[in-house]
């Protein structure tokens, strides 16, 4: 018996030409935590066939409240491996490459960014994020980036804007200040998902947490996070990818 088309509803909305284009795109996603894991799921469910996921971490208990592949059964397992297994359960024919690595200035060339159509940034290390932004903007790939998704409660305050127009986001501000200090700027404009909401931790646990408005050189300090907020960030990133593909197909058919 022939297997039903898992993308029938998607094709109904977008059409076969767009679906063919989606299948051909090569996407690399850096960071599969709270934001990135939901982004990856949405991409594969939307028909993305070639997806590379990059993250060095293992699933921890503290991930369970918000990360797609984090459950009591997956604690201790490599995040990209667990996520790859889930994504292949959605589409067994997808080409999912899982890399347990850290993106940094030292490792940047290992990822061959020029080979991709889309580059998505969902990492939280300030130093590595800044480097990825500058490197990705020198490629021909379409680049999207997630700003800070912690300390967010109101989904109606999540926005999309060009990087230099992002408002009220401490991470975006830290990145812009870093670029200005170094006098090294992204080579082109790019869209970001962010929230205008800035909350403070209300809990008494983790009194050693750093201030929400500062980022260490290596990794953003830990702050309270909710599943619906990070998921909307991730879904929005995936939506931007699909929208861009639809736009390109429409432009080609009109010319």
């Amino acid at each position: 018996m022939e297997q039903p088309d898992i993308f029938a509803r998607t094709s109904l909305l977008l059409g076969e030409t767009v679906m063919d284009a989606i299948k051909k795109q090569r996407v690399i996603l850096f960071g599969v935590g709270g934001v990135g894991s939901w982004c990856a799921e949405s991409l594969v469910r939307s028909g993305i066939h070639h997806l590379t996921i990059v993250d060095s971490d293992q699933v921890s208990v503290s991930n369970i409240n918000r990360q797609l592949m984090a459950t009591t059964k997956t604690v201790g397992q490599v995040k990209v491996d667990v996520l790859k297994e889930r994504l292949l359960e959605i589409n067994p024919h997808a080409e999912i490459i899982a890399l347990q690595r850290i993106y940094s200035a030292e490792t940047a060339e290992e990822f061959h960014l020029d080979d991709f159509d889309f580059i998505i940034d969902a990492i939280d290390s300030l130093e590595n994020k800044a480097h990825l932004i500058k490197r990705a903007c020198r490629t021909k790939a379409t680049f999207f980036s997630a700003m800070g998704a912690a300390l967010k409660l109101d989904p109606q305050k999540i926005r999309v804007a060009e990087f230099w127009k992002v408002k009220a986001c401490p991470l975006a501000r830290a990145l812009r200040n870093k670029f200005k200090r170094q006098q090294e700027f992204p080579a082109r404009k790019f869209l970001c998902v962010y929230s205008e909401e800035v909350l403070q931790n209300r809990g008494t646990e983790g009194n050693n947490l750093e201030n929400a408005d500062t980022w260490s050189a290596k990794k953003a300090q830990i702050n309270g996070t909710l599943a619906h907020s990070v998921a909307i960030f991730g879904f929005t990133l995936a939506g931007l990818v699909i929208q861009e593909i639809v736009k390109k197909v429409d432009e080609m058919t009109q010319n």
Side-chain angles (χ1 to χ4, degrees), residues 53-171:
I53 51 177
V54 183
D55 199 300
S56 64
D57 290 345
Q58 297 177 331
V59 177
S60 67
V61 173
S62 65
N63 301 151
I64 294 174
N65 81 312
R66 70 198 183 282
Q67 297 186 14
L68 178 70
M69 64 286 171
T71 70
T72 55
K73 293 183 178 180
T74 61
V75 170
Q77 298 181 39
V78 175
K79 286 184 181 180
V80 289
D81 291 344
V82 179
L83 184 56
K84 176 180 178 178
E85 182 178 351
R86 176 180 172 88
L87 297 177
L88 289 176
E89 288 179 356
I90 296 168
N91 182 8
H93 302 293
E95 180 187 86
I96 310 297
I97 299 175
L99 302 178
Q100 188 188 13
R101 298 182 198 168
I102 295 175
Y103 178 93
S104 67
E106 293 71 31
T107 65
E109 296 310 312
E110 297 176 10
F111 299 101
H112 305 287
L113 295 185
D114 294 298
D115 295 341
F116 294 92
D117 300 294
F118 289 89
I119 302 169
I120 305 174
D121 158 42
I123 59 179
D124 59 4
S125 159
L126 180 64
E127 188 72 28
N128 296 341
K129 194 178 193 76
H131 190 279
L132 175 59
I133 288 172
K134 290 184 289 185
R135 178 65 184 85
C137 286
R138 294 199 300 269
T139 71
K140 293 181 180 180
T142 302
F143 175 61
F144 298 121
S145 181
M147 296 293 106
L151 297 172
K152 313 301 180 189
L153 177 63
D154 187 350
Q156 297 182 83
K157 293 183 179 178
I158 296 173
R159 305 279 189 269
V160 174
E162 198 281 318
F163 172 68
W164 293 99
K165 296 182 179 180
V166 171
K167 300 177 181 178
C169 175
L171 178 53

Side-chain angles (χ1 to χ4, degrees), residues 6-252:
I6 61 176
F7 300 115
R9 292 294 183 96
T10 315
S11 182
L12 182 63
L13 174 63
L14 301 180
E16 292 182 6
T17 303
V18 172
M19 293 305 297
D20 288 341
I22 289 173
K23 187 175 181 179
K24 293 175 183 176
Q25 304 304 302
R26 305 189 68 87
V27 182
I28 187 166
L29 168 61
F30 290 94
V32 295
V35 172
S37 59
W38 298 98
C39 178
E41 169 117 347
S42 185
L43 288 171
V44 171
R45 288 188 184 274
S46 298
I48 290 294
H49 189 82
H50 304 283
L51 176 63
T52 299
I53 51 177
V54 183
D55 199 300
S56 64
D57 290 345
Q58 297 177 331
V59 177
S60 67
V61 173
S62 65
N63 301 151
I64 294 174
N65 81 312
R66 70 198 183 282
Q67 297 186 14
L68 178 70
M69 64 286 171
T71 70
T72 55
K73 293 183 178 180
T74 61
V75 170
Q77 298 181 39
V78 175
K79 286 184 181 180
V80 289
D81 291 344
V82 179
L83 184 56
K84 176 180 178 178
E85 182 178 351
R86 176 180 172 88
L87 297 177
L88 289 176
E89 288 179 356
I90 296 168
N91 182 8
H93 302 293
E95 180 187 86
I96 310 297
I97 299 175
L99 302 178
Q100 188 188 13
R101 298 182 198 168
I102 295 175
Y103 178 93
S104 67
E106 293 71 31
T107 65
E109 296 310 312
E110 297 176 10
F111 299 101
H112 305 287
L113 295 185
D114 294 298
D115 295 341
F116 294 92
D117 300 294
F118 289 89
I119 302 169
I120 305 174
D121 158 42
I123 59 179
D124 59 4
S125 159
L126 180 64
E127 188 72 28
N128 296 341
K129 194 178 193 76
H131 190 279
L132 175 59
I133 288 172
K134 290 184 289 185
R135 178 65 184 85
C137 286
R138 294 199 300 269
T139 71
K140 293 181 180 180
T142 302
F143 175 61
F144 298 121
S145 181
M147 296 293 106
L151 297 172
K152 313 301 180 189
L153 177 63
D154 187 350
Q156 297 182 83
K157 293 183 179 178
I158 296 173
R159 305 279 189 269
V160 174
E162 198 281 318
F163 172 68
W164 293 99
K165 296 182 179 180
V166 171
K167 300 177 181 178
C169 175
L171 178 53
R173 182 166 60 248
L175 285 165
R176 289 193 291 253
N177 288 339
K178 184 176 183 65
F179 293 144
K180 290 175 183 177
R181 286 195 306 271
Q182 296 177 337
Q183 285 298 295
E184 295 180 6
F185 301 95
R188 55 183 165 91
K189 295 180 179 181
F190 60 95
L191 292 179
C192 299
V193 181
Y194 73 104
S195 171
E196 296 180 348
E197 184 175 37
V198 181
L199 300 177
Q200 298 294 322
N201 291 303
R202 298 174 64 177
T204 56
E205 270 189 57
N207 290 327
N208 60 336
L209 296 179
E210 298 178 39
N211 185 277
D213 287 345
T214 61
W215 268 263
S216 68
K218 292 185 177 180
K219 190 170 184 178
Q221 75 288 342
I222 300 169
N223 283 304
T225 316
L226 289 167
H228 72 269
S229 297
V230 296
I232 293 172
F233 268 67
F235 288 145
T236 304
L237 285 170
L240 290 173
V241 171
I242 303 304
Q243 282 181 291
E244 183 65 17
I245 297 170
V246 172
K247 177 183 175 183
K248 289 180 178 179
V249 170
D250 287 347
E251 289 175 349
M252 290 177 60

